[in-house]
Amino acid sequence: MSAVKHEPWLLAEFLDWEERQPAKYEFDGFRPVAMMGGTLAHGYIQRNIGAALDGCLRDRPCQFVGSDVKIEVAGRIRYPDGFVICTPLPQTTTIVRDPIVIFEVLSASTASTDIVTKNSEYAATPSVQRYVMLAQDRIGGTMFERVGSDWVGHVLVADTILRMPEIGIEVPVIEFYRGVEIAPEETEEA
């Protein structure tokens, strides 16, 4: 950022500013937050999410969108690692306001924001039916789903089948880890 601004930004002010930036920024409701690069494992998992979902969603009304398109949730702007939309939108759309399923690949620098802050934002967004957070260092993660008025969390492991009835597909969690080298877990000796 070229100038430091101490009072909170307005969403419209951020969007106008971000449009002129060469890099991507999220908006946390107060200020721009620069998007950082990731690891190769992160990139592979992100690619696998897209491949798995795109294959399952082919010829259906819902579509997978990667991290180049931003979403607006709870007055914030986010660039998730991937998400699914079921509303037909013009291909020139730059902001999606009604994602159905959202994916994040956790990294050390963003895990706290993904697990707590974004989870709260996604829970507060009525269109979001499911939020999937995948680990990089092991096969699995956490998924939250909307069940009536509740936001319910589930642990995902390698043999979990990720059921997403809101978009009519099921994907084994292991599919998201093709080509990703996961170190064997150390066993604790009692």
Side-chain angles (χ1 to χ4, degrees):
M1 251 174 5
S2 58
V4 176
K5 182 176 169 153
H6 296 287
E7 65 271 4
W9 290 43
L10 300 174
L11 178 59
E13 183 179 19
F14 165 79
L15 290 171
D16 180 58
W17 174 85
E18 189 218 15
E19 195 173 282
R20 298 184 310 273
Q21 304 309 306
K24 290 193 299 192
Y25 288 82
E26 290 189 332
F27 178 63
D28 66 2
F30 302 99
R31 67 189 176 285
V33 178
M35 299 293 297
M36 304 307 230
T39 65
L40 199 52
H42 184 285
Y44 288 169
I45 295 166
Q46 187 177 15
R47 173 203 63 203
N48 292 338
I49 294 167
L53 270 63
D54 198 45
C56 293
L57 293 172
R58 189 168 292 124
D59 300 323
R60 293 184 183 212
C62 298
Q63 296 295 314
F64 175 79
V65 180
S67 61
D68 287 333
V69 178
K70 58 185 155 255
I71 61 174
E72 181 182 339
V73 289
R76 276 55 170 187
I77 296 296
R78 301 298 184 183
Y79 283 94
D81 290 313
F83 60 95
V84 176
I85 57 171
C86 296
T87 305
L89 295 170
Q91 291 187 4
T92 55
T93 297
T94 60
I95 304 173
V96 171
R97 292 180 171 86
D98 60 350
I100 305 296
V101 179
I102 299 174
F103 288 85
E104 291 284 4
V105 180
L106 300 177
S107 60
S109 63
T110 62
S112 176
T113 301
D114 292 341
I115 293 168
V116 179
T117 307
K118 289 182 183 181
N119 194 2
S120 176
E121 294 168 4
Y122 299 157
T125 304
S127 68
V128 178
Q129 299 300 303
R130 191 167 312 276
Y131 175 38
V132 181
M133 294 170 277
L134 298 171
Q136 287 186 59
D137 59 345
R138 60 189 55 196
I139 299 172
T142 307
M143 177 205 53
F144 281 82
E145 68 177 328
R146 196 169 304 284
V147 179
S149 61
D150 293 327
W151 191 242
V152 180
H154 305 275
V155 173
L156 305 174
V157 294
D159 62 351
T160 301
I161 303 296
L162 180 57
R163 290 176 174 82
M164 297 172 276
E166 59 279 349
I167 57 174
I169 64 172
E170 297 180 356
V171 178
V173 167
I174 194 80
E175 282 292 310
F176 302 134
Y177 290 88
R178 286 185 182 272
V180 179
E181 292 180 22
I182 302 291
E185 292 186 40
E186 295 180 30
T187 57
E188 293 182 26
E189 305 262 337

